[in-house]
Amino acid sequence: MASSTLRLSSSSCSRQIDAVIHVPKLPKVIPYFSIPKIPTTKLVEELNLRDGFKRIVPVEKINTAPIHDKSPNSDATAATTQLYAILEAVADRVEMHANIGKQRENWNTLLLNSVNMITLTAATMAGAAAIGGAGMPLLALKLSSTLLYSAVTGMLLVMNKMQPSQLAEEQRNATRLFKQIQTQIQTTMALGSPSKEDVKSVMEKVLAADKAYPLPLLGAMLDKFPAKFEPSVWWPSNQQIQKKNKSSEGKQRGQKNNGWSEEMEVEMREIVEVVKRKDIEDYERLGNLVLKINKVLAIAGPLLTGIAAVGSAFVGNGSWAAVVAVAAGALGSAVNAFEHGGQVGMVFEMYRNCAGFFQLLQESIEATLEERDLEKRENGELFEMNVALKLGRSLSQLRELAKKSASSRMDGTAIDEFASKLF
């Protein structure tokens, strides 16, 4: 009985063990499983946002074509990639010039306030020493006044050499110019199929703008007191005429003479004459006048404070020494306030920029008219509209100005109207 019970228990245990160890075969469904795709686009965007980068090149625009592909489509893709790289550099320049422009504007304000406060303090000390100083108090007031006048003279020499208001205006112009180049690049890519010539043209514009408006002060700063007024030049010297605009290329190809006519060419020549005889000459005259005024003020300020420093050193030895010290200090403060508070350097740079704008307009019109192949020019109607917008006029006003110029030249009289209505 005991043995039979043992057999039953052992057999039941073995059956239980077999049941536990036995693993049923799984159906063969592994080939139907698929590995999920990694969302690379969202991952790259997330990393860009996490790292704080402002993405300019869209992920979907990244070129994945093989390098050995030499098709025209691959050339356009390579040009697009290069334009995106230039666009990033231009965006960085916009930010740099904007920040440095604010910094140099602060320089002008802080230096002007500091110089005027030091000058007036020195004049007050010289006057107090002349009133009733004697012995050690007189020496202390004289020495303090002389040191302050000497310090402000050195500060003015550096300040007048740099012209902080003109430096700030240069950076504002550079910011506006690089924003314009940035917009041109975006327009070129939006029109589609950019070429190597487009990349080369944009590179030349960026390098020319870097040369026209340098960032560093030492070694590369523009001369603030040139011998003669000259307009700013921020475009390539070997600028070539662009072919007709791509946005209207398909629509204008069927038009006769690419939108140009003999009347339009005569109109453009008259506009150039008005720009040269009125706008450019007027800004050159004003620029030379402001340059002379700025030179006089830049010399007068340190000279007056230097005379005041010498006069304050002799306070107590005669009545005229105190008069010279106080009066020269007051005049020096007034001169500095007019020069830097009135931002004469900024006005000079503004005139340089305006004269450069009209010179660029003149060169572009003349170079366009020199191109004899009408198909290689920009579309005539589009070109006329651009010229009218740059001068702040409507098309009818532009044509009326050309008629006035032609009639005045035939009569031998000078036209009494400027080409630009913007500035």
Side-chain angles (χ1 to χ4, degrees), residues 191-214:
L191 295 176
S193 299
S195 61
K196 294 181 179 179
E197 287 75 14
D198 295 329
V199 176
K200 182 180 178 182
S201 175
V202 171
M203 280 291 296
E204 290 177 351
K205 289 181 180 179
V206 172
L207 296 178
D210 286 337
K211 183 179 180 181
Y213 300 105

CSV table of all heavy atoms in Angstrom, one decimal, residues 191-214:
chain,number,residue,atom,x,y,z
A,191,LEU,N,13.0,82.2,-55.4
A,191,LEU,CA,12.7,82.1,-56.8
A,191,LEU,C,13.1,80.8,-57.4
A,191,LEU,O,12.7,80.4,-58.5
A,191,LEU,CB,13.5,83.3,-57.5
A,191,LEU,CG,13.0,84.7,-57.2
A,191,LEU,CD1,13.9,85.7,-57.9
A,191,LEU,CD2,11.5,84.9,-57.6
A,192,GLY,N,14.0,80.1,-56.7
A,192,GLY,CA,14.4,78.7,-57.2
A,192,GLY,C,15.6,78.7,-58.1
A,192,GLY,O,15.8,79.7,-58.8
A,193,SER,N,16.3,77.6,-58.2
A,193,SER,CA,17.4,77.3,-59.1
A,193,SER,C,18.5,78.4,-59.0
A,193,SER,O,18.8,79.0,-60.0
A,193,SER,CB,16.9,77.1,-60.5
A,193,SER,OG,16.0,76.1,-60.6
A,194,PRO,N,19.1,78.6,-57.8
A,194,PRO,CA,20.2,79.6,-57.8
A,194,PRO,C,21.4,79.0,-58.5
A,194,PRO,O,21.6,77.7,-58.6
A,194,PRO,CB,20.5,79.8,-56.3
A,194,PRO,CG,19.9,78.5,-55.7
A,194,PRO,CD,18.8,78.1,-56.5
A,195,SER,N,22.3,79.8,-59.0
A,195,SER,CA,23.5,79.4,-59.7
A,195,SER,C,24.7,79.8,-59.0
A,195,SER,O,24.7,80.5,-58.0
A,195,SER,CB,23.5,80.0,-61.1
A,195,SER,OG,23.5,81.4,-61.0
A,196,LYS,N,25.9,79.3,-59.5
A,196,LYS,CA,27.2,79.7,-59.0
A,196,LYS,C,27.4,81.2,-59.1
A,196,LYS,O,28.1,81.8,-58.2
A,196,LYS,CB,28.3,78.9,-59.6
A,196,LYS,CG,28.2,77.4,-59.4
A,196,LYS,CD,29.4,76.7,-60.1
A,196,LYS,CE,29.3,75.2,-59.8
A,196,LYS,NZ,30.4,74.5,-60.5
A,197,GLU,N,26.9,81.8,-60.1
A,197,GLU,CA,27.1,83.3,-60.3
A,197,GLU,C,26.3,84.0,-59.1
A,197,GLU,O,26.8,85.0,-58.6
A,197,GLU,CB,26.5,83.7,-61.6
A,197,GLU,CG,27.4,83.4,-62.8
A,197,GLU,CD,27.3,81.9,-63.2
A,197,GLU,OE1,26.3,81.2,-62.7
A,197,GLU,OE2,28.1,81.4,-63.9
A,198,ASP,N,25.2,83.5,-58.7
A,198,ASP,CA,24.5,84.1,-57.6
A,198,ASP,C,25.3,84.0,-56.3
A,198,ASP,O,25.4,85.0,-55.5
A,198,ASP,CB,23.1,83.4,-57.4
A,198,ASP,CG,22.2,83.6,-58.5
A,198,ASP,OD1,22.3,84.7,-59.2
A,198,ASP,OD2,21.4,82.7,-58.8
A,199,VAL,N,25.9,82.8,-56.1
A,199,VAL,CA,26.8,82.7,-54.9
A,199,VAL,C,27.9,83.6,-54.9
A,199,VAL,O,28.3,84.3,-53.9
A,199,VAL,CB,27.2,81.2,-54.8
A,199,VAL,CG1,28.2,81.0,-53.6
A,199,VAL,CG2,26.0,80.3,-54.7
A,200,LYS,N,28.6,83.7,-56.1
A,200,LYS,CA,29.7,84.6,-56.2
A,200,LYS,C,29.3,86.1,-56.0
A,200,LYS,O,30.0,86.8,-55.3
A,200,LYS,CB,30.4,84.4,-57.6
A,200,LYS,CG,31.6,85.3,-57.8
A,200,LYS,CD,32.2,85.1,-59.2
A,200,LYS,CE,33.4,85.9,-59.5
A,200,LYS,NZ,33.9,85.7,-60.9
A,201,SER,N,28.2,86.5,-56.5
A,201,SER,CA,27.7,87.8,-56.4
A,201,SER,C,27.4,88.2,-54.9
A,201,SER,O,27.8,89.3,-54.4
A,201,SER,CB,26.5,88.1,-57.2
A,201,SER,OG,25.9,89.3,-57.0
A,202,VAL,N,26.8,87.3,-54.2
A,202,VAL,CA,26.5,87.5,-52.8
A,202,VAL,C,27.8,87.6,-52.0
A,202,VAL,O,27.9,88.4,-51.1
A,202,VAL,CB,25.6,86.4,-52.3
A,202,VAL,CG1,25.4,86.5,-50.8
A,202,VAL,CG2,24.2,86.5,-53.0
A,203,MET,N,28.7,86.7,-52.3
A,203,MET,CA,30.0,86.7,-51.6
A,203,MET,C,30.7,88.1,-51.8
A,203,MET,O,31.3,88.6,-50.8
A,203,MET,CB,30.9,85.6,-52.0
A,203,MET,CG,30.6,84.2,-51.4
A,203,MET,SD,31.0,84.2,-49.7
A,203,MET,CE,32.8,84.4,-49.7
A,204,GLU,N,30.7,88.6,-53.0
A,204,GLU,CA,31.4,89.9,-53.2
A,204,GLU,C,30.7,91.0,-52.5
A,204,GLU,O,31.3,91.9,-52.0
A,204,GLU,CB,31.4,90.1,-54.7
A,204,GLU,CG,32.3,89.2,-55.5
A,204,GLU,CD,32.2,89.5,-57.0
A,204,GLU,OE1,31.3,90.3,-57.4
A,204,GLU,OE2,33.1,89.0,-57.8
A,205,LYS,N,29.4,90.9,-52.4
A,205,LYS,CA,28.6,92.0,-51.7
A,205,LYS,C,28.9,91.9,-50.2
A,205,LYS,O,29.1,93.0,-49.5
A,205,LYS,CB,27.1,91.8,-51.9
A,205,LYS,CG,26.6,92.1,-53.3
A,205,LYS,CD,25.1,91.9,-53.4
A,205,LYS,CE,24.6,92.3,-54.8
A,205,LYS,NZ,23.2,92.1,-54.9
A,206,VAL,N,29.0,90.7,-49.6
A,206,VAL,CA,29.3,90.6,-48.2
A,206,VAL,C,30.7,91.1,-47.9
A,206,VAL,O,30.9,91.9,-46.9
A,206,VAL,CB,29.2,89.1,-47.7
A,206,VAL,CG1,29.7,88.9,-46.3
A,206,VAL,CG2,27.7,88.7,-47.8
A,207,LEU,N,31.7,90.8,-48.7
A,207,LEU,CA,33.1,91.2,-48.5
A,207,LEU,C,33.2,92.7,-48.7
A,207,LEU,O,34.0,93.4,-47.9
A,207,LEU,CB,34.0,90.5,-49.4
A,207,LEU,CG,34.1,88.9,-49.2
A,207,LEU,CD1,35.0,88.3,-50.2
A,207,LEU,CD2,34.6,88.6,-47.8
A,208,ALA,N,32.5,93.3,-49.7
A,208,ALA,CA,32.5,94.7,-49.9
A,208,ALA,C,31.9,95.5,-48.7
A,208,ALA,O,32.4,96.5,-48.3
A,208,ALA,CB,31.8,95.1,-51.1
A,209,ALA,N,30.8,94.9,-48.1
A,209,ALA,CA,30.2,95.5,-46.9
A,209,ALA,C,31.1,95.4,-45.7
A,209,ALA,O,31.2,96.4,-44.9
A,209,ALA,CB,28.9,94.9,-46.6
A,210,ASP,N,31.9,94.3,-45.6
A,210,ASP,CA,32.8,94.2,-44.5
A,210,ASP,C,33.9,95.2,-44.6
A,210,ASP,O,34.4,95.8,-43.6
A,210,ASP,CB,33.4,92.8,-44.5
A,210,ASP,CG,32.5,91.7,-44.0
A,210,ASP,OD1,31.5,92.1,-43.3
A,210,ASP,OD2,32.6,90.6,-44.3
A,211,LYS,N,34.4,95.5,-45.8
A,211,LYS,CA,35.4,96.5,-46.0
A,211,LYS,C,34.9,97.9,-45.8
A,211,LYS,O,35.6,98.8,-45.3
A,211,LYS,CB,36.0,96.4,-47.4
A,211,LYS,CG,37.1,97.3,-47.7
A,211,LYS,CD,37.7,97.1,-49.1
A,211,LYS,CE,38.8,98.0,-49.4
A,211,LYS,NZ,39.3,97.8,-50.8
A,212,ALA,N,33.7,98.2,-46.2
A,212,ALA,CA,33.1,99.5,-46.0
A,212,ALA,C,32.8,99.9,-44.6
A,212,ALA,O,32.9,101.0,-44.2
A,212,ALA,CB,31.8,99.7,-46.9
A,213,TYR,N,32.4,98.9,-43.8
A,213,TYR,CA,32.0,99.1,-42.4
A,213,TYR,C,32.8,98.1,-41.5
A,213,TYR,O,32.2,97.1,-41.0
A,213,TYR,CB,30.5,99.0,-42.2
A,213,TYR,CG,29.8,100.0,-43.0
A,213,TYR,CD1,29.1,99.6,-44.1
A,213,TYR,CD2,29.7,101.4,-42.7
A,213,TYR,CE1,28.4,100.5,-44.9
A,213,TYR,CE2,29.0,102.3,-43.4
A,213,TYR,CZ,28.3,101.9,-44.5
A,213,TYR,OH,27.7,102.8,-45.3
A,214,PRO,N,34.0,98.4,-41.2
A,214,PRO,CA,34.8,97.4,-40.3
A,214,PRO,C,34.4,97.5,-38.9
A,214,PRO,O,33.9,98.5,-38.4
A,214,PRO,CB,36.2,97.9,-40.5
A,214,PRO,CG,36.1,99.4,-40.8
A,214,PRO,CD,34.9,99.5,-41.6
